[in-house]
Amino acid sequence: MEDEELIYDLADLFKIFADSTRIRVLYCLIEQECCVGDIAAALEMSQTAISHQLRILKQSHLVRCRRDGKQMLYSLADDHVKTILSAGLEHVEE
């Protein structure tokens, strides 16, 4: 059995993917980095709601951000996030 702490960390990671809004945000970021306003417009949600979800995703190391002038641009943290989303989608499409 894996180390208990690793098991809890893995469970916490999967909890992040248990929210459809966060999944939609991640899919917005698959192709390109975006600012909060662009994601909010694409998902037809408020910037406040998107900012909240991005904070959770950033704390979980699933997205990263960089400053471009006054704007913060968000992107997927690494290719593992895309792999997880692809594997999940493949599973539910079976």
Side-chain angles (χ1 to χ4, degrees):
M1 192 72 175
E2 293 290 323
D3 179 33
E4 284 296 313
E5 187 174 336
L6 286 175
I7 297 296
Y8 287 116
D9 290 345
L10 182 59
D12 287 341
L13 174 66
F14 283 120
K15 286 177 190 176
I16 300 301
F17 286 100
D19 183 274
S20 62
T21 299
R22 287 193 284 268
I23 297 292
R24 292 172 66 210
V25 168
L26 291 171
Y27 270 106
C28 281
L29 298 174
I30 281 181
E31 296 300 320
Q32 64 183 3
E33 62 183 3
C34 299
C35 67
V36 174
D38 291 342
I39 298 168
L43 300 183
E44 298 180 347
M45 296 180 67
S46 72
Q47 288 189 17
T48 303
I50 297 302
S51 292
H52 173 73
Q53 298 303 333
L54 285 168
R55 182 174 37 85
I56 293 168
L57 292 167
K58 188 176 174 201
Q59 288 172 344
S60 301
H61 307 288
L62 296 174
V63 300
R64 63 179 172 216
C65 64
R66 70 175 183 87
R67 183 172 295 282
D68 183 27
K70 292 184 178 183
Q71 228 174 27
M72 296 299 285
L73 296 173
Y74 293 86
S75 60
L76 296 182
D78 56 43
D79 286 338
H80 293 113
V81 179
K82 189 186 281 190
T83 302
I84 293 167
L85 290 171
S86 295
L89 186 61
E90 183 179 325
H91 180 75
V92 298
E93 287 178 334
E94 284 184 358

